Amino acid sequence: MRIILLSAFALFLLLPENIQAQVTVKTGYISSSRYKDENGQYPGKGDMCFVEGNVNIPVSQKMNERNQPTLWMISAGGSYTAMNNKNLQSYIDIDQIINMQLSVTNIRPISKKWLLLTTVGAGVYTSSDVKLKNVLGQGGVIFIRQFKSNLSLGAGLAVNNTFGYPMVFPAIYFDWSTEGRYQIKVSMLNAMEVSAGMKMNKYLNLRIVAEMNGSLALLEREGKDTMFSQQFIIVGLQPEVSMGNSFSITATAGVSCSRIAYYTTRTLKAFFEDMSKDTDPYFKPAMYVSVGMKYKF
């Protein structure tokens, strides 16, 4: 829950290269595994599948003499998660999560080495009906230092109304990558993504990837404003097939190392209680597979 709280809004940052509109779609499946509750018991098990999509559209962009961008961009995304749980009714009593987000982002240089990123938007995080309580307003300001063309590090503040009123959280940005036949990429904004691989030929890249994903539902449960958080970390082998410069397809097979899934009330007290926990309720490791596509235009 803590990481999802800090990354509830999507920031799609494209630093100085040929910035294009981009559409991504991915579907994935985590096989059934046992659920471990807060008391260390295993009351049931469950599996999960999801479909998600994002679109980023630059509406205005220009580069200065130092090849730094001034950019306005609209980003929209959505996901649908379906859960098939057995004997977990008293722990997880929803079977689907719907997330939708829309944001406007501005990136501009403020010095030779520094960029300023600002974003504002809103999202719907629900298990069924859309109500005002399911909506989060979101925003952020991040100062980004470009150390090299392939290395950027930044920090700032993010704000949302997860607890019913605006609260400020820290936000961190990190991006590093290498080019050539052997490729390494480490990226952290909404969550962590790490990959290392090799370019087999002009059409095929082969990587080992580790990444974090998740979903969030805001709902009323037992008369209280509650949130259901689900977050998983996967490690797997990912081939990517490129069909020209605009279109590519990826497939990933590996393991979901851990899938945290539990309810908490939408109060500041509950947030700090969660921070003090050693472990959260979670599903044990399970098989993970996914297929995705990316199109630039």
Side-chain angles (χ1 to χ4, degrees):
M1 183 273 291
R2 296 179 289 279
I3 294 176
I4 291 178
L5 271 176
L6 303 183
S7 61
F9 62 91
L11 298 177
F12 301 97
L13 180 57
L14 302 172
L15 285 175
E17 41 186 68
N18 186 19
I19 300 169
Q20 297 175 279
Q22 178 176 289
V23 176
T24 60
V25 178
K26 182 166 72 172
T27 182
Y29 172 73
I30 297 177
S31 65
S32 182
S33 63
R34 295 186 299 164
Y35 182 77
K36 185 176 182 179
D37 66 16
E38 292 180 337
N39 300 316
Q41 303 299 311
Y42 295 91
K45 60 182 180 179
D47 61 10
M48 186 201 82
C49 62
F50 67 89
V51 178
E52 62 182 28
N54 296 289
V55 57
N56 308 317
I57 302 176
V59 295
S60 173
Q61 59 178 302
K62 63 180 180 179
M63 310 297 287
N64 64 15
E65 65 280 2
R66 296 188 296 267
N67 201 34
Q68 294 174 303
T70 298
L71 169 69
W72 286 94
M73 180 162 54
I74 296 175
S75 300
S79 66
Y80 175 79
T81 302
M83 297 170 288
N84 179 28
N85 297 320
K86 296 181 179 179
N87 302 320
L88 292 178
Q89 291 84 357
S90 60
Y91 295 87
I92 304 174
D93 55 6
I94 60 173
D95 58 8
Q96 65 178 8
I97 299 175
I98 302 165
N99 288 177
M100 296 177 287
Q101 309 92 23
L102 178 66
S103 63
V104 177
T105 301
N106 176 245
I107 305 167
R108 63 180 57 251
I110 55 177
S111 73
K112 185 177 180 180
K113 292 292 185 179
W114 287 89
L115 298 173
L116 176 64
L117 182 150
T118 56
T119 186
V120 63
V124 175
Y125 304 87
T126 184
S127 61
S128 55
D129 299 331
V130 178
K131 301 177 182 178
L132 186 59
K133 289 184 177 182
N134 307 131
V135 178
L136 290 183
Q138 304 147 99
V141 177
I142 299 179
F143 294 88
I144 299 170
R145 174 73 154 84
Q146 291 183 278
F147 291 93
K148 296 181 180 180
S149 59
N150 66 338
L151 175 61
S152 300
L153 177 64
L157 297 174
V159 59
N160 64 45
N161 62 319
T162 300
F163 299 113
Y165 45 85
M167 284 195 63
V168 176
F169 302 94
I172 298 174
Y173 173 79
F174 178 76
D175 188 75
W176 175 67
S177 62
T178 64
E179 297 296 334
R181 185 179 184 188
Y182 299 98
Q183 301 172 347
I184 299 173
K185 181 176 178 62
V186 181
S187 179
M188 183 172 66
L189 187 54
N190 297 320
M192 177 68 76
E193 179 181 350
V194 180
S195 66
M198 181 171 63
K199 189 171 185 177
M200 310 299 290
N201 54 52
K202 64 183 295 186
Y203 302 106
L204 176 63
N205 289 335
L206 190 61
R207 308 185 188 95
I208 296 174
V209 300
E211 61 185 43
M212 187 183 297
N213 203 343
S215 53
L216 178 70
L218 306 177
L219 56 145
E220 186 174 316
R221 189 170 184 253
E222 299 176 353
K224 297 180 180 179
D225 290 336
T226 306
M227 68 180 82
F228 175 76
S229 305
Q230 181 165 241
Q231 181 180 298
F232 56 91
I233 299 173
I234 68 98
V235 177
L237 183 66
Q238 182 184 84
E240 179 181 26
V241 178
S242 298
M243 302 175 184
N245 296 323
S246 299
F247 185 73
S248 63
I249 297 174
T250 60
T252 307
V255 176
S256 167
C257 303
S258 176
R259 177 161 63 101
I260 298 170
Y262 70 104
Y263 293 95
T264 186
T265 55
R266 291 179 65 183
T267 65
L268 195 57
K269 179 182 178 182
F271 174 75
F272 285 109
E273 287 176 349
D274 289 341
M275 291 284 286
S276 65
K277 288 180 182 178
D278 293 330
T279 59
D280 296 318
Y282 67 96
F283 289 90
K284 299 289 281 185
M287 180 188 72
Y288 171 85
V289 292
S290 69
V291 177
M293 59 80 68
K294 181 189 299 182
Y295 178 65
K296 297 179 180 179
F297 59 95

